[in-house]
Every structure is written in structure tokens, then in C-alpha cells.
Amino acid sequence: MDIPRIFNITESAHRIHNPFTPEKLATLGAALRLERGTRVLDLGSGSGEMLCTWARDHGVIGTGIDMSRLFTEKAKRRAEELGVADQVMFIHGDAAGYVSDEKFDVAACVGATWIAGGVAGTIELLARSLRTRGIILIGEPYWRQLPPTEDVAKGCLAGSISDFLMLPELLASFGHLNYDVVEMVLADQDSWDRYEATKWLTMRRWLEANPDDELAKEVRAKLTSEPERYATYTREYLGWGVFALMPR
Ligand code: SAH
């Protein structure tokens, strides 16, 4: 079981697999007023940077589940490196349908809401592992500007304009699901650059080391087209944020 190999190549050097910088991740941790011993569940935990740094900085206890074998290994190494291996556990597996027996204080899905068919389904899934008055974290894109055409949405690698909402609508949608939005931290264009541009040097180095790999052609094509595509579309049109929710 693993995610498509192309992501394990293009994001092999990322610690954070979303448009947040380490500073924004730290801002979120501080905003949530995490207390020592807070139990955090993270579905689609990637390379574990959120759980590991919050364990170091706030003393949280965490469980992360991710389908990438590589990212899960990186998460375990990061926990060792930061001296928090006794506080965080990383499981390689499918987070779709994952419900824990133990209830968590914080249940998160940061940039992987497809695991339960979208935002509403993911909130419902996380709620099943959440204690009363716990906090749900959802990391999700929204439109900074509404794409004028479906082609522009596709340029952002969205399936269609209707895949995402504008920020006010996204915030309202949480209310319609009967949740209060109690905090949020948003990406900006510079933090988006860290997520996207980091892939370019990674691809270039990978191509030099793996010229005969079966994915070399695809990676070469991506490296050639991605900077311009990103600057034309994603950087202009797509926002991203993490939203903290509490059931009303
Ligand atoms: N939350 C992390 C990773 C976000 S990227 C971070 O912010 O850094 C999306 C992650 O979802 C990737 O790590 C990918 O491996 C993982 N993923 C994709 N499908 C999954 C599934 N069905 N179950 C668990 N993880 C999944």
C-alpha cells in the first residue's frame, strides 16, 4: 500500500506537505493554546512535522496515520531527531474510515480531505474520534479569486471551479455543518512558494540521479512546465488554510 510514486519523488525533501511554513505551523500550535498532554490525532500526517514540533513545543501526545511509506519513515526519524519519539506514534496505513477507540482532544486532517470524500465527510469521520468539546482541524484550499473559466480552475489542478469555495463561503459551510470556527491560520503566496518551488529543486536533483527511471520523462515534463503553471494559476487563484472547529 502506498500513494502514487510521483508524490514520493516530488515531495521527498518536504517536511511540510502543504503551503505552510514552519512559522505558520508554529503560529497554529500557539493559536490553539495546546496544553501539555493534549492528545492529537492526525489523519494524513505526511512526514509528521505538525505532531513532532507540537510535541516538542507544547508537550502534546500524538498519533499520525499516512499512506506514504516514505513519509511515515521520515516522520519516525523526525520524532527521533526532535527527541519526541516517546510522545508520537506514526502508523503506515489507510486513514479512510479510521476511527479510534480512544478519544482525542484534537482531531486533524490537514490537506487530505479526499480520504473521506471531502470536507463534510472528513469532519464527520474526525468527529467519531473526538472527545466532547474537542477541536477538529481541517486544512483545505479555497479560491482567493474566483477562476473566470473552468480552464483556469484546471490550471490550478482543480477538477472544476465547484471543487472549492471562496473563503467566506468555506467559513459559512462549517456553520452549516453545525460547527463554530474558533481559529484559523491562512497560507499566503510566499508560503505557497515554499510548498511548490521546493518541488522544483527536488525534481532537478532527482532527474540527475535517476536519468533512466521510468518516471524520468514525466518528472522532466513537470519540471519544465510547473514554474510557469504555478505562477499563472495556483499562486494567483488558490488560497489554503487550516480551520479549527468545535461542534455547536
Ligand atoms: N498533513 C500533512 C500531509 C498533507 S499531504 C502535512 O500537512 O504535511 C497529503 C497526505 O495524505 C500525504 O502525506 C499522503 O501520503 C496522505 N494520504 C493520501 N491518501 C491517504 C489515505 N487514504 N490515508 C492516509 N494518508 C493518505
Side-chain angles (χ1 to χ4, degrees):
M1 182 201 311
D2 213 324
I3 59 170
R5 189 169 160 243
I6 185 73
F7 299 112
N8 285 327
I9 294 171
T10 58
E11 299 191 24
S12 63
H14 286 58
R15 277 195 181 133
I16 302 174
H17 304 263
N18 71 51
F20 261 15
T21 54
E23 292 75 23
K24 285 186 185 285
L25 205 51
T27 297
L28 178 64
L32 295 174
R33 308 171 203 176
L34 298 167
E35 284 169 15
R36 191 155 289 280
T38 298
R39 292 153 303 171
V40 184
L41 174 67
D42 191 8
L43 301 187
S45 44
S47 297
E49 192 68 2
M50 185 172 86
L51 288 181
C52 290
T53 55
W54 289 2
R56 177 193 63 192
D57 299 340
H58 303 286
V60 308
I61 308 290
T63 301
I65 298 154
D66 199 280
M67 204 148 94
S68 164
R69 192 176 294 279
L70 173 69
F71 299 167
T72 306
E73 283 310 312
K74 286 177 65 196
K76 289 177 184 170
R77 284 203 298 273
R78 187 67 172 147
E80 297 284 348
E81 191 176 284
L82 296 187
V84 296
D86 55 341
Q87 286 161 258
V88 294
M89 178 169 74
F90 292 102
I91 301 166
H92 173 240
D94 190 349
Y98 183 89
V99 177
S100 150
D101 297 333
E102 175 204 359
K103 299 288 182 202
F104 286 82
D105 304 301
V106 176
C109 180
V110 176
T113 54
W114 59 83
I115 65 168
V119 170
T122 300
I123 290 175
E124 218 171 280
L125 174 63
L126 292 171
R128 294 169 65 194
S129 301
L130 192 70
R131 74 155 164 87
T132 311
R133 283 185 287 279
I135 291 181
I136 286 180
L137 297 180
I138 292 286
E140 184 70 5
Y142 58 88
W143 296 120
R144 289 179 65 220
Q145 303 179 54
L146 201 63
T149 65
E150 287 293 340
D151 279 348
V152 171
K154 292 208 165 60
C156 298
L157 308 183
S160 87
I161 298 173
S162 64
D163 281 9
F164 305 123
L165 301 170
M166 299 287 288
L167 181 59
E169 279 86 42
L170 179 58
L171 294 170
S173 77
F174 296 127
H176 299 146
L177 296 169
N178 223 16
Y179 281 83
D180 287 324
V181 181
V182 297
E183 257 296 356
M184 71 174 186
V185 177
L186 303 180
D188 55 30
Q189 287 177 307
D190 293 338
S191 68
W192 263 104
D193 295 347
R194 293 301 81 237
Y195 177 51
E196 294 295 337
T198 299
K199 297 175 193 173
W200 308 339
L201 182 57
T202 302
M203 288 194 279
R204 174 62 201 242
R205 294 259 160 92
W206 182 88
L207 278 169
E208 281 163 10
N210 301 276
D212 301 322
D213 191 280
E214 60 179 11
L215 288 186
K217 252 193 160 148
E218 181 181 341
V219 172
R220 168 31 71 194
K222 252 192 207 302
L223 175 57
T224 304
S225 60
E226 271 297 289
E228 188 181 345
R229 182 206 64 77
Y230 166 65
T232 308
Y233 299 109
T234 305
R235 194 173 197 275
E236 288 307 308
Y237 289 94
L238 209 55
W240 194 86
V242 178
F243 306 92
L245 314 172
M246 293 177 74
R248 282 183 180 150

